[in-house]
């Protein structure tokens, strides 16, 4: 499914540029993706579209780090499904001020819709890119670098 999502992200730079799901399905079939992967990705994208349309963003203000007066508490199911690495990565992006609460909720919702426990961090990065994509928001260069860069060769300082 994630290969299909990456293809959609790379070929349709914004969510509003993406064709309707039926037309997208035909294009994905023409590119040789497996029908099961296509249907799973289209169901996931349909949920993403719904979540993005339901989200309320404060466009007047730039995204700010999580308020010291509020805190997101993850349910046991979310903790189990997302795992410590994904929760840590989400927290990192929130603390950096690049993942506002509305976008975080889209990410968590869509991550919970992915099969397998726990979700891989690389898969979460694709989910985050797709959340930005679906809302028409452009991640800044540092966020894009963090989401797209292979960190396996990095050495901590």
């Amino acid at each position: 499914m994630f290969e299909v999502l990456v293809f959609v992200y790379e070929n349709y730079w914004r969510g509003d540029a993406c064709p309707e799901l039926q037309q997208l399905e035909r294009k994905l079939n023409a590119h040789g993706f497996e029908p099961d992967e296509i249907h799973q990705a289209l169901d996931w994208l349909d949920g993403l579209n719904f979540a993005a349309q339901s989200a309320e963003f404060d466009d007047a203000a730039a995204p700010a780090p999580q308020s010291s007066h509020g805190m997101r508490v993850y349910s046991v199911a979310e903790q189990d499904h997302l795992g410590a690495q994904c929760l840590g990565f989400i927290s990192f992006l929130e603390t950096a001020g690049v993942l506002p609460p509305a976008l975080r909720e889209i990410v968590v919702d869509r991550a919970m819709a992915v099969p397998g426990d726990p979700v891989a961090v690389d898969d979460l990065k694709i989910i985050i890119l797709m959340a930005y994509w679906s809302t028409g928001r452009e991640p800044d260069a540092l966020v894009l670098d963090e989401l797209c860069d292979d960190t396996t060769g990095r050495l901590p300082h």
Side-chain angles (χ1 to χ4, degrees), residues 57-113:
F57 291 95
D58 182 12
D59 288 328
Q66 183 174 342
S67 167
S68 61
H69 302 296
M71 181 175 71
R72 170 62 154 92
V73 177
Y74 293 92
S75 70
V76 172
E78 289 171 334
Q79 291 176 35
D80 290 343
H81 190 70
L82 294 172
Q85 285 187 312
C86 287
L87 290 172
F89 190 72
I90 291 170
S91 177
F92 162 72
L93 293 176
E94 283 183 290
T95 303
V98 297
L99 191 65
L103 196 57
R104 177 202 58 221
E105 291 307 310
I106 293 172
V107 168
V108 171
D109 174 71
R110 294 294 72 213
M112 292 300 290

Side-chain angles (χ1 to χ4, degrees), residues 116-134:
D117 284 339
V119 173
V121 174
D122 288 340
D123 293 344
L124 180 71
K125 290 178 179 183
I126 294 169
I127 293 168
I128 294 167
L129 281 173
M130 294 304 292
Y132 271 103
W133 174 85
S134 70

Side-chain angles (χ1 to χ4, degrees), residues 14 30 93 109 139 146 151 153:
R14 291 179 52 114
L93 293 176
D109 174 71
E146 188 65 38
T151 60

Side-chain angles (χ1 to χ4, degrees), residues 3-24:
E3 291 83 16
V4 175
L5 295 178
V6 168
F7 176 86
V8 170
Y9 180 82
E10 289 176 346
N11 288 279
Y12 303 101
W13 290 100
R14 291 179 52 114
D16 57 2
C18 188
E20 295 293 323
L21 293 181
Q22 291 178 345
Q23 184 180 1
L24 180 59

Side-chain angles (χ1 to χ4, degrees), residues 1 4-5 28 36-46:
M1 174 182 86
V4 175
L5 295 178
L28 293 170
D36 288 343
E37 280 188 341
I38 293 171
H39 290 290
Q40 191 177 23
L42 292 178
D43 285 343
W44 191 90
L45 283 170
D46 190 40

